[in-house]
mmCIF file of all heavy atoms in Angstrom:
data_model
loop_
_atom_site.group_PDB
_atom_site.id
_atom_site.type_symbol
_atom_site.label_atom_id
_atom_site.label_comp_id
_atom_site.label_asym_id
_atom_site.label_seq_id
_atom_site.Cartn_x
_atom_site.Cartn_y
_atom_site.Cartn_z
ATOM 1 N N ARG A 84 130.133 100.927 92.892
ATOM 2 C CA ARG A 84 129.328 99.942 93.578
ATOM 3 C C ARG A 84 128.071 100.611 94.177
ATOM 4 O O ARG A 84 126.970 100.226 94.007
ATOM 5 C CB ARG A 84 129.986 99.130 94.694
ATOM 6 C CG ARG A 84 130.961 98.081 94.019
ATOM 7 C CD ARG A 84 131.243 97.039 95.062
ATOM 8 N NE ARG A 84 132.340 96.189 94.604
ATOM 9 C CZ ARG A 84 133.047 95.436 95.321
ATOM 10 N NH1 ARG A 84 132.916 95.404 96.620
ATOM 11 N NH2 ARG A 84 134.023 94.753 94.867
ATOM 12 N N LEU A 85 128.433 101.825 94.818
ATOM 13 C CA LEU A 85 127.431 102.497 95.547
ATOM 14 C C LEU A 85 126.375 103.059 94.604
ATOM 15 O O LEU A 85 125.154 103.016 94.736
ATOM 16 C CB LEU A 85 128.037 103.597 96.269
ATOM 17 C CG LEU A 85 127.314 104.108 97.554
ATOM 18 C CD1 LEU A 85 126.995 102.910 98.463
ATOM 19 C CD2 LEU A 85 128.130 105.118 98.375
ATOM 20 N N VAL A 86 126.862 103.594 93.420
ATOM 21 C CA VAL A 86 125.922 104.160 92.440
ATOM 22 C C VAL A 86 125.137 103.061 91.838
ATOM 23 O O VAL A 86 123.892 103.204 91.692
ATOM 24 C CB VAL A 86 126.760 104.855 91.401
ATOM 25 C CG1 VAL A 86 125.860 105.105 90.158
ATOM 26 C CG2 VAL A 86 127.455 106.021 91.829
ATOM 27 N N ALA A 87 125.695 101.921 91.566
ATOM 28 C CA ALA A 87 124.913 100.894 91.051
ATOM 29 C C ALA A 87 123.794 100.409 92.012
ATOM 30 O O ALA A 87 122.626 100.148 91.570
ATOM 31 C CB ALA A 87 125.817 99.601 90.672
ATOM 32 N N GLN A 88 124.122 100.327 93.307
ATOM 33 C CA GLN A 88 123.135 99.944 94.269
ATOM 34 C C GLN A 88 122.044 101.015 94.326
ATOM 35 O O GLN A 88 120.832 100.676 94.345
ATOM 36 C CB GLN A 88 123.760 99.776 95.648
ATOM 37 C CG GLN A 88 124.453 98.453 95.835
ATOM 38 C CD GLN A 88 124.720 98.264 97.343
ATOM 39 O OE1 GLN A 88 124.041 98.725 98.175
ATOM 40 N NE2 GLN A 88 125.746 97.535 97.607
ATOM 41 N N SER A 89 122.443 102.183 94.400
ATOM 42 C CA SER A 89 121.382 103.263 94.593
ATOM 43 C C SER A 89 120.446 103.302 93.509
ATOM 44 O O SER A 89 119.231 103.530 93.691
ATOM 45 C CB SER A 89 122.089 104.642 94.635
ATOM 46 O OG SER A 89 122.995 104.615 95.706
ATOM 47 N N ALA A 90 120.900 103.067 92.320
ATOM 48 C CA ALA A 90 119.989 103.193 91.110
ATOM 49 C C ALA A 90 118.935 102.108 91.246
ATOM 50 O O ALA A 90 117.771 102.342 90.787
ATOM 51 C CB ALA A 90 120.820 103.047 89.839
ATOM 52 N N ALA A 91 119.261 100.977 91.834
ATOM 53 C CA ALA A 91 118.277 99.899 91.894
ATOM 54 C C ALA A 91 117.388 100.049 93.171
ATOM 55 O O ALA A 91 116.204 99.714 93.140
ATOM 56 C CB ALA A 91 118.978 98.572 92.005
ATOM 57 N N LYS A 92 117.882 100.648 94.211
ATOM 58 C CA LYS A 92 117.197 100.628 95.490
ATOM 59 C C LYS A 92 116.904 102.066 95.998
ATOM 60 O O LYS A 92 117.887 102.824 96.108
ATOM 61 C CB LYS A 92 117.931 99.868 96.586
ATOM 62 C CG LYS A 92 118.240 98.504 96.175
ATOM 63 C CD LYS A 92 118.814 97.756 97.397
ATOM 64 C CE LYS A 92 119.038 96.225 97.095
ATOM 65 N NZ LYS A 92 119.393 95.483 98.347
ATOM 66 N N ARG A 93 115.658 102.330 96.262
ATOM 67 C CA ARG A 93 115.325 103.608 96.826
ATOM 68 C C ARG A 93 115.774 103.805 98.246
ATOM 69 O O ARG A 93 115.905 104.913 98.750
ATOM 70 C CB ARG A 93 113.804 103.871 96.768
ATOM 71 C CG ARG A 93 113.194 103.715 95.414
ATOM 72 C CD ARG A 93 111.789 104.293 95.388
ATOM 73 N NE ARG A 93 111.830 105.672 95.949
ATOM 74 C CZ ARG A 93 112.060 106.667 95.214
ATOM 75 N NH1 ARG A 93 112.116 106.578 93.897
ATOM 76 N NH2 ARG A 93 112.086 107.920 95.719
ATOM 77 N N THR A 94 115.923 102.734 98.958
ATOM 78 C CA THR A 94 116.001 102.793 100.370
ATOM 79 C C THR A 94 117.036 103.765 100.881
ATOM 80 O O THR A 94 116.575 104.719 101.510
ATOM 81 C CB THR A 94 116.430 101.438 100.936
ATOM 82 O OG1 THR A 94 115.896 100.381 100.191
ATOM 83 C CG2 THR A 94 116.004 101.258 102.412
ATOM 84 N N VAL A 95 118.259 103.612 100.666
ATOM 85 C CA VAL A 95 119.299 104.447 101.329
ATOM 86 C C VAL A 95 118.934 105.853 101.117
ATOM 87 O O VAL A 95 119.060 106.689 102.071
ATOM 88 C CB VAL A 95 120.662 104.102 100.817
ATOM 89 C CG1 VAL A 95 121.716 104.830 101.677
ATOM 90 C CG2 VAL A 95 120.951 102.629 100.738
ATOM 91 N N VAL A 96 118.600 106.229 99.959
ATOM 92 C CA VAL A 96 118.412 107.609 99.584
ATOM 93 C C VAL A 96 117.189 108.165 100.240
ATOM 94 O O VAL A 96 117.201 109.330 100.647
ATOM 95 C CB VAL A 96 118.263 107.545 98.056
ATOM 96 C CG1 VAL A 96 117.991 109.046 97.570
ATOM 97 C CG2 VAL A 96 119.459 107.070 97.320
#
Side-chain angles (χ1 to χ4, degrees):
Chain A
R84 284 198 192 163
L85 208 52
V86 170
Q88 276 193 33
S89 301
K92 300 186 173 190
R93 304 194 52 87
T94 323
V95 191
V96 179

